[in-house]
């Protein structure tokens, strides 16, 4: 009986040591995570600065595609990677660099707008990247005039 009690006590001691070890491991892991998060400063991250964030095409003929280049710089201390560029409409198609933009280097995002339908437009382009201030939103706007010829085709008997 005495041997059994010593074995049980030994198991309890090992179990307590295991609990203490797990507790210390968790505390150390949490402390290390907090310390690494504190060490990341905003100036050490990639930073995308655009020369312009909005472009007005003005009047565009119906059916014509127009293009604009949004130029940017990586002013941060880390390489910049554009993860994704989303547009608010299928009539707006983006092209962006898939390679890394090193600190103090420049790049550009090409936007093509297909002016299929008449009327004013205001489209947004959202740029997601691996830096502070992500995402950033670019805007294109303009107007596609209504054609008077089309009105005569639709209403041929209209009196002027």
């Amino acid at each position: 009986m005495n041997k059994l009690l010593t074995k049980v006590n030994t198991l309890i001691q090992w179990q307590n040591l295991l609990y203490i070890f797990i507790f210390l491991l968790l505390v150390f892991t949490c402390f290390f995570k907090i310390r690494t998060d504190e060490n990341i400063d905003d100036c050490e991250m990639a930073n995308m600065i655009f020369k312009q964030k909005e472009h007005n095409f003005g009047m565009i003929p119906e059916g014509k595609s127009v293009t604009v280049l949004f130029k940017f710089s990586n002013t941060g201390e880390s390489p910049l990677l554009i993860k994704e560029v989303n547009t608010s409409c299928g009539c707006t198609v983006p092209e962006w660099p898939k390679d890394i933009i090193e600190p103090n280097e420049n790049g550009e995002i090409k936007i093509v707008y297909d002016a299929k339908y008449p009327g004013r437009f205001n489209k947004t382009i959202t740029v997601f990247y691996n830096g502070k201030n992500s995402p950033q939103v670019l805007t294109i706007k303009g107007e596609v005039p209504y054609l008077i010829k089309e009105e005569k085709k639709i209403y041929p008997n209209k009196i002027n």
Side-chain angles (χ1 to χ4, degrees):
M1 176 94 165
N2 202 10
K3 285 186 178 186
L4 182 63
L5 282 176
T6 52
K7 284 186 180 184
V8 169
N9 283 338
T10 306
L11 284 175
I12 291 173
Q13 288 174 351
W14 279 106
Q15 185 180 12
N16 288 341
L17 284 174
L18 180 64
Y19 288 143
I20 291 170
F21 176 75
I22 291 172
F23 174 76
L24 290 174
L25 185 64
L26 288 172
V27 169
F28 177 76
T29 304
C30 292
F31 177 75
F32 184 73
K33 172 72 175 141
I34 291 169
R35 296 288 293 154
T36 55
D37 288 348
E38 288 173 356
N39 291 338
I40 297 174
D41 191 9
D42 278 350
C43 66
E44 294 175 1
M45 297 177 70
N47 189 31
M48 181 182 268
I49 301 292
F50 284 93
K51 293 190 190 298
Q52 68 175 21
K53 286 186 160 186
E54 184 176 297
H55 181 77
N56 188 345
F57 287 109
M59 297 294 253
I60 305 168
E62 187 175 350
K64 181 180 178 189
S65 292
V66 289
T67 302
V68 62
L69 295 176
F70 286 100
K71 297 183 179 194
F72 63 88
S73 300
N74 178 7
T75 60
E77 306 252 337
S78 296
L80 176 113
L81 179 64
I82 299 175
K83 298 175 184 177
E84 190 172 356
V85 178
N86 294 333
T87 61
S88 60
C89 174
C91 57
T92 309
V93 179
E95 289 181 28
W96 67 92
K98 308 298 189 267
D99 296 332
I100 289 175
I101 309 294
E102 294 295 333
N104 300 315
E105 286 189 3
N106 302 319
E108 58 189 28
I109 296 175
K110 178 181 174 182
I111 304 297
V112 179
Y113 176 74
D114 187 5
K116 286 183 182 177
Y117 305 107
R120 289 191 178 127
F121 66 90
N122 188 358
K123 307 296 179 185
T124 58
I125 300 98
T126 307
V127 181
F128 296 90
Y129 59 98
N130 67 326
K132 64 181 178 177
N133 302 323
S134 177
Q136 290 200 39
V137 178
L138 309 173
T139 306
I140 59 170
K141 59 185 179 179
E143 185 173 355
V144 180
Y146 290 91
L147 298 177
I148 296 173
K149 288 188 260 179
E150 292 295 319
E151 188 175 303
K152 289 182 181 176
K153 287 180 185 176
I154 296 171
Y155 305 106
N157 297 328
K158 184 177 176 184
I159 301 173
N160 292 331

